[in-house]
Amino acid sequence: ETGVTQSPTHLIKTRGQQVTLRCSSQSGHNTVSWYQQALGQGPQFIFQYYREEENGRGNFPPRFSGLQFPNYSSELNVNALELDDSALYLCASSQKTGTYEQYFGPGTRLTVT
Amino acid sequence: AQSVAQPEDQVNVAEGNPLTVKCTYSVSGNPYLFWYVQYPNRGLQFLLKYITGDNLVKGSYGFEAEFNKSQTSFHLKKPSALVSDSALYFCAVESGGGSQGNLIFGKGTKLSVKP
């Protein structure tokens, strides 16, 4: 098991609502990346935070936003939820940006009805 | 654009036999390649990576991968499969030219090892 934790484990929301997912990075890691994994697919990169600043973003709309805190934990916020947002959301931390291996948390399963 | 292809949805192997899970990539510049494994209802676990150097990379749990630049491949291998190796395997490429670490994943290959 990695030292990356995520909360909550599961979540059910209604279309149009807003959701916040949380991630605590592994000790010593200052970089957090978020991924969306739809059923039967590989994870897709949402964005990355390095030392509290956004350090890259994938092809996701602005209603997906994030934060990183001074202790390097992170939040993913999704506004105006759509049915297609139903997925496993994975947080990964790494020692630095670049080619350092990422350590993934167990994920948050979001269901939008 | 950077991309990764895993041509097999599923690989079936008998326990004790060698296994190979295939991956090909398309990148501009130097490829930085990774393999991850995902067990049911779990996050991804890092297996190994290729950044530079020796084309044969050794990783966790007895896995290794061979980087082949001419064939743009990075196949995952293990000499003797275990039933406990049954899981979903993802190949990934780092898309930021080594500067960002955001990974592009293949769609995954389900490995089934039968006793």
Side-chain angles (χ1 to χ4, degrees), chain A residues 1-2 33 35 37 40-45 48 55-56 88 90 97-107 109, chain B residues 32 34 36 38 41-46 49 51 88 90 94-95 97-108:
Chain A
E1 295 290 338
T2 70
S33 302
Y35 294 83
Q37 186 178 17
Q41 302 294 320
Q44 282 198 294
F45 174 70
Q48 180 185 85
N55 186 50
L88 181 68
L90 296 166
T97 60
T99 56
Y100 291 82
E101 53 265 33
Q102 299 183 19
Y103 292 88
F104 284 78
R109 174 73 63 188
Chain B
Y32 303 105
F34 299 77
Y36 284 83
Q38 186 175 35
N41 301 313
R42 302 277 292 275
L44 278 69
Q45 293 182 29
F46 170 78
K49 68 179 180 182
I51 305 301
L88 194 54
F90 290 97
E94 192 272 348
S95 71
S99 65
Q100 289 190 320
N102 44 305
L103 299 173
I104 295 176
F105 286 87
K107 61 179 174 58

Side-chain angles (χ1 to χ4, degrees), chain B:
Chain B
Q2 327 281 49
S3 66
V4 170
Q6 294 182 242
E8 302 154 318
D9 290 337
Q10 181 153 345
V11 170
N12 298 311
V13 177
E15 188 174 31
N17 283 0
L19 69 88
T20 299
V21 182
K22 295 179 180 177
C23 172
T24 59
Y25 64 89
S26 174
V27 302
S28 54
N30 294 322
Y32 303 105
L33 298 158
F34 299 77
W35 275 102
Y36 284 83
V37 59
Q38 186 175 35
Y39 296 97
N41 301 313
R42 302 277 292 275
L44 278 69
Q45 293 182 29
F46 170 78
L47 282 178
L48 51 79
K49 68 179 180 182
Y50 173 82
I51 305 301
T52 187
D54 195 349
N55 289 345
L56 186 64
V57 179
K58 293 188 182 297
S60 306
Y61 313 119
F63 284 93
E64 57 189 27
E66 185 168 13
F67 170 66
N68 188 317
K69 188 172 183 178
S70 62
Q71 296 186 4
T72 61
S73 66
F74 189 56
H75 300 333
L76 182 70
K77 300 181 180 184
K78 187 173 183 181
S80 179
L82 300 173
V83 172
S84 57
D85 293 330
S86 298
L88 194 54
Y89 290 80
F90 290 97
C91 182
V93 62
E94 192 272 348
S95 71
S99 65
Q100 289 190 320
N102 44 305
L103 299 173
I104 295 176
F105 286 87
K107 61 179 174 58
T109 298
K110 182 179 180 181
L111 173 66
S112 178
V113 182
K114 300 295 186 186

Side-chain angles (χ1 to χ4, degrees), chain A residues 9-96:
Chain A
T9 305
H10 297 89
L11 201 52
I12 299 175
K13 289 286 189 178
T14 303
R15 191 172 52 184
Q17 285 187 316
Q18 178 266 342
V19 68
T20 297
L21 309 182
R22 294 177 175 84
C23 171
S24 291
S25 59
Q26 187 159 312
S27 177
H29 289 185
N30 58 21
T31 303
V32 172
S33 302
W34 285 92
Y35 294 83
Q36 180 195 65
Q37 186 178 17
L39 202 61
Q41 302 294 320
Q44 282 198 294
F45 174 70
I46 304 175
F47 44 58
Q48 180 185 85
Y49 279 84
Y50 171 61
R51 293 185 174 181
E52 303 178 58
E53 298 284 335
E54 188 176 290
N55 186 50
R57 188 179 183 92
N59 189 26
F60 280 81
R63 60 189 184 84
F64 285 78
S65 63
L67 281 174
Q68 188 179 33
F69 300 99
N71 66 355
Y72 302 131
S73 65
S74 178
E75 285 183 355
L76 164 65
N77 299 289
V78 188
N79 293 322
L81 283 167
E82 301 177 359
L83 297 179
D84 285 349
D85 296 334
S86 296
L88 181 68
Y89 287 85
L90 296 166
C91 163
S93 75
S94 57
Q95 194 172 1
K96 284 183 183 180

